[in-house]
């Protein structure tokens, strides 16, 4: 899934390869002075997140990008600074707009604000406000906390079962029944497909744990409903 991290990585990679930029960073705006004064490398680019708007198909990230250079004591280079730093920021806009990387797009037009005597009064440059649009779809599962419950060890060579009883701290709260079978793998399939009118999957998904036990992966909201803070065990019958 494309994320804010992906956007920052893309911007960082772009400016790491930009001939005019000495360093690039990202954080909240309050940390920008610390970043700028750490090693006095200029021109610098700094990325600040200001908001995000998710929608059905895309997510829009609003960013402030800053570009600064050092002002000479006599300010003779101020026009050069304003010209170069604005172009450095605009280069990113052009890259996102016209490249063949379709994971990123620009929403509308960026705006530029000139900055004078910034970063403890010795730097000048521009702030560019920009909205980056990325697709919202993902083929990655949403990470969710799960509770793992296990059955007793069974002998797969002498296996016959059609039910699982569910226990919380040793007290049975339910039993689900499917087709009678002597095949361990088929039994797990019956559980995960709610065969024969059963409802095994209300508690989660069932797996061969690899040690002659069945493993139930329960979503935490299910676990907290039926056995909060307790121990869930299964009994194959």
């Amino acid at each position: 899934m494309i994320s804010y991290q992906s956007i920052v990585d893309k911007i960082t990679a772009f400016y790491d390869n930009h001939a005019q930029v000495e360093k690039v960073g990202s954080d909240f705006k309050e940390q920008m002075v610390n970043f700028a004064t750490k090693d006095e490398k200029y021109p610098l680019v700094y990325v600040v997140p200001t908001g995000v708007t998710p929608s059905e198909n895309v997510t829009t990230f609003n960013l402030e990008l800053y570009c600064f250079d050092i002002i000479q004591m006599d300010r003779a280079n101020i026009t050069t600074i304003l010209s170069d730093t604005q172009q450095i920021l605009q280069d990113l806009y052009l890259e996102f707009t016209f490249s063949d990387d379709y994971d990123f797009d620009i929403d509308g037009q960026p705006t530029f604000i000139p900055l004078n005597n910034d970063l403890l009064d010795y730097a000048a440059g521009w702030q560019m406000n920009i909205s980056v649009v990325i697709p919202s779809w993902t083929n990655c599962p949403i990470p969710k906390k799960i509770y793992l419950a296990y059955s007793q060890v069974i002998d797969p060579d002498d296996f016959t079962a059609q039910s699982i009883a569910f226990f919380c701290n040793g007290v049975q709260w339910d039993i689900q029944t499917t087709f009678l079978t002597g095949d361990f793998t088929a039994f797990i399939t019956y559980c995960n497909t709610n065969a024969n009118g059963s409802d095994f999957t209300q508690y989660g998904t069932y797996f061969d744990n690899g040690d002659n036990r069945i493993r139930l992966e329960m979503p935490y909201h299910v676990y907290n409903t039926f056995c909060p803070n307790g121990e869930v065990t299964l009994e194959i019958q």
Side-chain angles (χ1 to χ4, degrees):
M1 180 180 180
I2 303 169
S3 63
Y4 175 68
Q5 182 68 64
S6 304
I7 296 173
V8 172
D9 289 346
K10 181 72 66 172
I11 294 173
T12 300
F14 176 78
Y15 282 120
D16 280 344
N17 291 288
H18 196 292
Q20 291 175 278
V21 176
E22 291 298 322
K23 67 176 180 178
V24 56
S26 64
D27 202 333
F28 287 100
K29 187 175 181 180
E30 292 79 6
Q31 305 303 315
M32 184 163 58
V33 170
N34 294 336
F35 172 77
T37 56
K38 183 177 180 180
D39 52 16
E40 301 290 331
K41 292 182 178 179
Y42 292 90
L44 66 82
V45 172
Y46 194 78
V47 184
V48 176
T50 60
V52 58
T53 305
S55 60
E56 183 176 355
N57 297 314
V58 298
T59 300
T60 303
F61 288 86
N62 299 314
L63 307 175
E64 292 176 355
L65 273 76
Y66 295 84
C67 186
F68 289 106
D69 204 349
I70 295 296
I71 305 172
Q72 294 177 0
M73 291 295 293
D74 61 1
R75 298 183 63 86
N77 67 333
I78 190 67
T79 300
T80 299
I81 288 176
L82 292 176
S83 178
D84 290 348
T85 55
Q86 190 277 333
Q87 187 61 60
I88 288 169
L89 293 176
Q90 186 163 313
D91 287 343
L92 180 75
Y93 164 67
L94 297 174
E95 174 72 10
F96 273 23
T97 301
F98 297 110
S99 75
D100 57 1
D101 186 347
Y102 299 110
D103 287 338
F104 300 85
D105 201 0
I106 301 299
D107 183 22
Q109 303 296 318
T111 58
F112 292 82
I113 300 171
L115 301 172
N116 182 35
N117 293 330
D118 214 313
L119 300 178
L120 303 179
D121 293 337
Y122 59 82
W126 292 86
Q127 169 189 329
M128 178 175 71
N129 302 315
I130 194 167
S131 296
V132 179
V133 179
I134 62 175
S136 295
W137 65 268
T138 176
N139 57 3
C140 299
I142 296 173
K144 296 180 180 179
K145 292 176 65 177
I146 58 172
Y147 177 87
L148 303 180
Y150 301 92
S151 72
Q152 79 274 31
V153 177
I154 58 95
D155 181 357
D157 296 325
D158 186 27
F159 175 79
T160 302
Q162 66 180 118
S163 301
I164 293 181
F166 299 83
F167 294 84
C168 175
N169 295 329
V171 178
Q172 181 176 324
W173 86 77
D174 192 15
I175 185 170
Q176 291 291 321
T177 301
T178 183
F179 295 114
L180 181 67
T181 180
D183 187 300
F184 187 55
T185 302
F187 181 70
I188 294 174
T189 300
Y190 291 157
C191 294
N192 285 322
T193 57
N194 293 325
N196 198 26
S198 59
D199 193 11
F200 286 90
T201 58
Q202 66 179 305
Y203 302 123
T205 306
Y206 303 81
F207 300 89
D208 181 347
N209 198 55
D211 58 359
N212 297 329
R213 294 188 299 170
I214 287 179
R215 180 180 77 255
L216 168 61
E217 296 189 356
M218 301 181 71
Y220 246 76
H221 73 278
V222 176
Y223 164 70
N224 286 327
T225 298
F226 292 99
C227 193
N229 300 315
E231 180 185 16
V232 176
T233 53
L234 315 177
E235 183 178 306
I236 302 173
Q237 301 177 354

